[in-house]
Amino acid sequence: MSAQDQIITKGSSRPARLQVDPDTIGDDDKPPQSGTVFNIWFLKWSGGDSSRKNFTKSKFRVNIKKDVGYTKASGQSPICLFFARGCCYLGKKCKYLHRLPTENDYFPPTQDCFGRDKTADYKDDMDGVGSFNRVNRTLYVGGLHSKDNMENVLTKHFQEFGSIEKIRVLYNKGCAFVTYRLEAEAQFAKEAMNAQSLDDDEVLNVKWASEDPNPEAQRQEQQRRENDAMKMVQNLLSDVPKGGSRKRKQVEGQAQEEAKKAKSQHVPKQITQSDSHHTNENSFFSKASLDALKAARMNPSKPSVATKAKKLPIVNYSSDDDD
Amino acid sequence: MSNQVGDEFPALCEKCLGDDQHLKMMKHANGDECKICTRPFTVFRWKINDGQSKFRKTVICVTCARARNSCQSCMLDINYMIPLDLRDTALKMAGIEGFTSSKYISNSTNREVKAIMADKQETEFRNIETDSQADRAKAMLEKLARKFEDNASALVKKPSRNDHIDKEALKQLKSAEIKKLVRELPFNGKIEIPEVETPATSFFIFGFPQDMPQYSLSDYCKKFGKLKLLNIVQRARCGFVSFTTSKAAQEFARSIINNGLNKNASRPGLLILEQKYPLRVSWSDRKSLGHTNEEHHKLSLICTRVMKQLAGQEKKTEAVTRNSSKPKSSGSQTAPSSNQDKATTATYNSSKLDFEL
């Protein structure tokens, strides 16, 4: 998988463009005053009249076509947050990816595509990194100037960052909901389009959407989740035969020496009772069904790992065996 | 001894532990608060050799992880490395009680309540061995596999289109209300390519199901050329698409005429996307599609009605051209709803004059 990613990143033959010249960055990055006290940790003004809080338009904006390129990042790295905001001054020296998230990328569910930790709940204003308890592919876009064909305008600006599944505009409220196909695309678009403007000089306010109260939409979401679960179970059942590669690790490896020895001899030295239930892990499938599943295997994920597991006899040792 | 190890060792999945046989971890007692239950817990930090320089660490406490049978670091299922919500959906579909029984999931946002709930869990999950948990997971997959083999098709719910509700709503819909909206929209447009050279580039698209993702349409259209405009309102089940060049637009139209589903090009052409999203296409310039929920809902009803009417007309012409005395094939497919169909067609015909310009 990492090799494949590398091809994707290295496939773009150009180096990532410098989005901002480091020399032009001023020493003082205070935004225009909108409060009484400046919080140096959050680079924000606080206090004062919150209704007067002016949303200043961002000075930078990512241009995917121009800015994508290879960096020093490897396939597993997260995506560069500053690249998404259009202000990475490191260019090809950046340690993070300068490209869009794709379907094949793996981001742990506890982090977003920029490698930031998610929290259990959303912030009260639905801004920020988001929650790990819900897969949210929908963004709230506020601050629209209502025109007749907002769907088209939003499509034009938001499809740059991924496949749009649905756009719903609330004309009387001046806001819209944009649903992407992937969660990572929504995460990227949220950073890329926040404090940007569409065709006019409005300043968008992009946040996470809360759950759609429309029963039809909820039914669709449920349907989608069930389909995903179905697909996943199919994959899982077709992958089960490669089990038995279970291993145990300890913080203080008491069995280091023994294990080393065993490894060098390529012989599992300690086969004890505790192994038995690991090794016959797949025996609960009837043989016929296993064969059927094998035949119907949709995509054998991680073939490299599977072959590796076959070649190397895995040493099963657990804490019970050491004493 | 094993009990102690169970207390000390974090619940982590294979993926998070990496491929190496040996691993160094840093332990920090009460180093952070659990992201789920907000109680302090022992944090472990380690690095694995996957080309990424970032440290991994545990983000939730052992109790929360065991209650969900998840990894403490990536929060995927610890045995199968799959997302928890998908796992629970799958178990629910199979009618098996999952790991996360609802009494342990607190929806409270209050920190104290969360912590108290977690304390209650603690007593139950403290003594659970990772091995017994693996057994439990294995048993569950076994059950799931059996269910799956028995009735794989039964688990997939058929999309229940609530047509009968639509029909009732259709009957209630008065033609006067929709007149204004629909007058402009070319429901009886055509798909045939004009013989005279025209600069027309845009199409009116209607009748697709509400759950059709926008990208499946735009991806299909992009095969013919760059899009200038894509204005799809899923709730109203209609929208407009326009190409930058008239050449691309004509190619798009030609592909629809020739896709084998359309006999009469003077009607909106039928197109079926990804074998599940039927829709009709006709030439038209962009018009307003209404702004409110109500307007969109009514438009979607009209779309349903017109789709049915067009299908009915096509069936009729087919029957006529065949000159068969017994319309067997058409009757067998839609026998139960044919009466209703006729009724809606009749009402549409009666109000058709309203729609035409």
Side-chain angles (χ1 to χ4, degrees):
Chain A
M1 196 161 138
S2 67
Q4 195 189 348
D5 280 1
Q6 223 135 33
I7 291 164
I8 294 166
T9 43
K10 300 272 150 127
S12 53
S13 51
R14 351 168 245 174
R17 194 176 73 98
L18 270 188
Q19 287 173 309
V20 182
D21 186 359
D23 298 333
T24 61
I25 301 170
D27 293 334
D28 182 28
D29 48 0
K30 269 188 200 178
Q33 180 162 8
S34 58
T36 49
V37 186
F38 188 71
N39 184 334
I40 56 163
W41 303 109
F42 287 87
L43 294 179
K44 268 179 190 166
W45 288 93
S46 62
D49 187 6
S50 64
S51 67
R52 222 169 45 101
K53 193 188 268 178
N54 58 339
F55 294 102
T56 42
K57 195 188 155 185
S58 167
K59 279 183 275 183
F60 316 103
R61 176 161 173 175
V62 65
N63 182 335
I64 295 297
K65 254 185 201 156
K66 260 166 78 182
D67 292 349
V68 164
Y70 65 78
T71 56
K72 279 162 91 180
S74 72
Q76 294 278 320
S77 297
I79 287 161
C80 178
L81 178 64
F82 298 96
F83 160 72
R85 289 178 179 162
C87 56
C88 183
Y89 67 89
L90 288 167
K92 64 176 178 181
K93 286 181 201 144
C94 186
K95 276 197 259 171
Y96 298 92
L97 296 172
H98 278 209
R99 64 168 173 83
L100 287 176
T102 65
E103 212 171 349
N104 301 322
D105 288 334
Y106 170 75
F107 302 109
T110 48
Q111 292 179 350
D112 70 352
C113 70
F114 305 108
R116 301 179 294 180
D117 281 342
K118 292 182 188 172
T119 47
D121 300 311
Y122 285 100
K123 283 169 70 175
D124 286 344
D125 59 358
M126 293 301 277
D127 209 346
V129 181
S131 156
F132 53 67
N133 282 328
R134 186 154 79 91
V135 177
N136 198 345
R137 298 174 293 118
T138 306
L139 298 176
Y140 161 90
V141 182
L144 297 177
H145 290 183
S146 278
K147 277 195 301 184
D148 193 34
N149 55 345
M150 281 316 295
E151 280 95 354
N152 180 40
V153 179
L154 284 166
T155 306
K156 201 173 81 190
H157 285 270
F158 278 82
Q159 72 181 359
E160 193 181 354
F161 312 110
S163 309
I164 293 173
E165 189 168 302
K166 198 162 136 190
I167 289 182
R168 175 153 157 66
V169 182
L170 307 180
Y171 283 96
N172 51 352
K173 301 238 167 64
C175 71
F177 293 96
V178 180
T179 306
Y180 280 91
R181 189 166 59 112
L182 305 174
E183 193 189 16
E185 286 171 349
Q187 288 162 351
F188 192 96
K190 181 175 176 295
E191 289 304 331
M193 286 308 288
N194 195 18
Q196 303 289 347
S197 56
L198 301 178
D199 292 345
D200 297 333
D201 55 352
E202 70 265 60
V203 179
L204 296 186
N205 170 23
V206 185
K207 291 171 176 178
W208 291 111
S210 31
E211 231 158 324
D212 196 341
N214 178 17
E216 171 65 16
Q218 282 177 356
R219 191 189 63 79
Q220 284 169 20
E221 191 59 38
Q222 177 69 16
Q223 183 89 38
R224 189 192 153 92
R225 212 176 305 137
E226 284 182 2
N227 283 344
D228 284 355
M230 205 66 188
K231 237 178 261 169
M232 190 199 63
V233 170
Q234 266 165 346
N235 279 347
L236 203 60
L237 292 179
S238 62
D239 275 353
V240 160
K242 80 165 188 181
S245 67
R246 244 184 93 79
K247 56 188 181 266
R248 262 286 190 88
K249 277 158 202 168
Q250 291 181 15
V251 192
E252 302 112 28
Q254 295 171 344
Q256 271 186 13
E257 296 219 342
E258 284 166 6
K260 256 182 210 162
K261 226 172 165 185
K263 202 180 171 189
S264 63
Q265 290 171 359
H266 284 272
V267 173
K269 223 182 173 185
Q270 305 167 315
I271 298 170
T272 54
Q273 274 188 324
S274 70
D275 287 335
S276 58
H277 72 263
H278 295 314
T279 43
N280 58 19
E281 203 166 32
N282 53 22
S283 62
F284 55 78
F285 290 110
S286 64
K287 197 176 180 301
S289 67
L290 266 185
D291 290 344
L293 281 169
K294 255 184 214 160
R297 178 179 299 198
M298 291 166 81
N299 53 342
S301 64
K302 296 190 281 173
S304 61
V305 175
T307 48
K308 213 166 79 184
K310 265 174 216 159
K311 272 178 208 161
L312 265 175
I314 304 295
V315 185
N316 279 312
Y317 59 93
S318 68
S319 52
D320 301 343
D321 311 328
D322 302 334
D323 293 353
Chain B
M1 148 106 206
S2 62
N3 234 338
Q4 270 177 2
V5 170
D7 274 346
E8 291 296 320
F9 195 73
L12 292 169
C13 69
E14 311 252 315
K15 208 170 186 173
C16 286
L17 287 173
D19 291 332
D20 284 340
Q21 291 274 344
H22 306 291
L23 199 63
K24 245 190 224 167
M25 277 188 175
M26 270 173 281
K27 186 169 131 189
H28 187 181
N30 295 341
D32 208 344
E33 74 173 25
C34 167
K35 283 200 173 173
I36 290 176
C37 68
T38 72
R39 298 176 310 163
F41 74 107
T42 308
V43 181
F44 289 90
R45 281 156 59 84
W46 72 99
K47 220 179 210 177
I48 65 168
N49 201 6
D50 66 341
Q52 205 184 337
S53 57
K54 222 175 157 184
F55 271 97
R56 284 160 192 255
K57 65 169 186 180
T58 54
V59 294
I60 56 174
C61 66
V62 185
T63 314
C64 287
R66 283 193 183 150
R68 289 162 180 76
N69 194 41
S70 76
C71 168
Q72 267 186 281
S73 172
C74 66
M75 285 187 65
L76 296 170
D77 185 278
I78 197 164
N79 300 101
Y80 301 114
M81 291 151 223
I82 53 178
L84 297 184
D85 58 334
L86 287 186
R87 180 197 68 189
D88 291 339
T89 314
L91 291 175
K92 212 170 143 198
M93 282 162 75
I96 305 167
E97 202 201 332
F99 292 93
T100 30
S101 47
S102 53
K103 63 174 170 174
Y104 294 118
I105 303 298
S106 76
N107 295 318
S108 172
T109 48
N110 187 318
R111 291 169 60 89
E112 279 78 24
V113 174
K114 280 182 187 171
I116 291 165
M117 293 294 279
D119 276 336
K120 278 185 189 159
Q121 283 177 28
E122 181 102 44
T123 47
E124 185 162 335
F125 290 100
R126 167 173 287 163
N127 296 323
I128 287 189
E129 299 272 325
T130 38
D131 278 355
S132 73
Q133 209 156 13
D135 286 346
R136 198 164 148 228
K138 202 171 59 174
M140 211 159 269
L141 184 68
E142 182 183 351
K143 260 196 225 165
L144 195 60
R146 217 176 292 136
K147 277 257 167 66
F148 203 82
E149 276 165 33
D150 287 350
N151 48 359
S153 55
L155 282 175
V156 186
K157 272 192 211 151
K158 296 283 180 300
S160 57
R161 301 247 174 276
N162 32 14
D163 273 348
H164 55 285
I165 298 166
D166 282 352
K167 266 172 203 159
E168 272 168 30
L170 258 180
K171 274 182 201 162
Q172 286 171 1
L173 200 66
K174 293 195 181 77
S175 59
E177 286 176 355
I178 48 177
K179 205 167 138 189
K180 216 169 154 190
L181 260 172
V182 179
R183 197 188 290 144
E184 298 282 309
L185 294 176
F187 279 112
N188 35 23
K190 35 179 88 170
I191 186 67
E192 75 188 335
I193 296 158
E195 285 163 28
V196 198
E197 200 66 24
T198 52
T201 58
S202 81
F203 295 89
F204 176 51
I205 290 176
F206 65 95
F208 45 79
Q210 286 193 356
D211 57 355
M212 182 186 78
Q214 187 173 316
Y215 58 80
S216 54
L217 181 63
S218 66
D219 288 352
Y220 181 82
C221 294
K222 271 178 197 157
K223 283 190 281 186
F224 301 97
K226 222 175 156 191
L227 297 182
K228 193 169 77 186
L229 176 142
L230 185 71
N231 199 359
I232 300 290
V233 185
Q234 261 111 340
R235 282 211 168 191
R237 298 181 60 191
C238 54
F240 290 92
V241 58
S242 101
F243 293 88
T244 45
T245 62
S246 59
K247 201 180 148 208
Q250 285 181 8
E251 251 171 65
F252 177 64
R254 198 167 293 124
S255 84
I256 290 172
I257 293 169
N258 296 332
N259 69 358
L261 296 164
N262 301 292
K263 299 229 165 61
N264 190 349
S266 63
R267 291 218 182 84
L270 181 67
L271 170 70
I272 297 181
L273 282 180
E274 297 172 14
Q275 291 161 0
K276 54 184 171 184
Y277 306 124
L279 51 91
R280 297 261 174 183
V281 187
S282 67
W283 291 92
S284 163
D285 285 335
R286 208 192 74 78
K287 309 263 161 50
S288 170
L289 290 170
H291 287 168
T292 62
N293 260 347
E294 214 181 340
E295 283 171 325
H296 288 163
H297 179 62
K298 279 174 188 163
L299 266 179
S300 80
L301 291 175
I302 303 266
C303 285
T304 321
R305 181 188 283 184
V306 176
M307 285 294 272
K308 270 183 192 151
Q309 195 226 0
L310 285 170
Q313 277 180 2
E314 258 153 43
K315 224 177 276 167
K316 236 183 265 169
T317 51
E318 208 174 300
V320 167
T321 47
R322 263 209 221 138
N323 239 347
S324 58
S325 53
K326 280 183 190 172
K328 214 168 62 183
S329 63
S330 62
S332 62
Q333 271 193 339
T334 56
S337 64
S338 61
N339 271 340
Q340 284 276 18
D341 261 358
K342 260 180 214 159
T344 48
T345 313
T347 52
Y348 180 76
N349 279 338
S350 64
S351 61
K352 199 180 174 187
L353 285 172
D354 293 340
F355 298 159
E356 282 173 349
L357 286 170

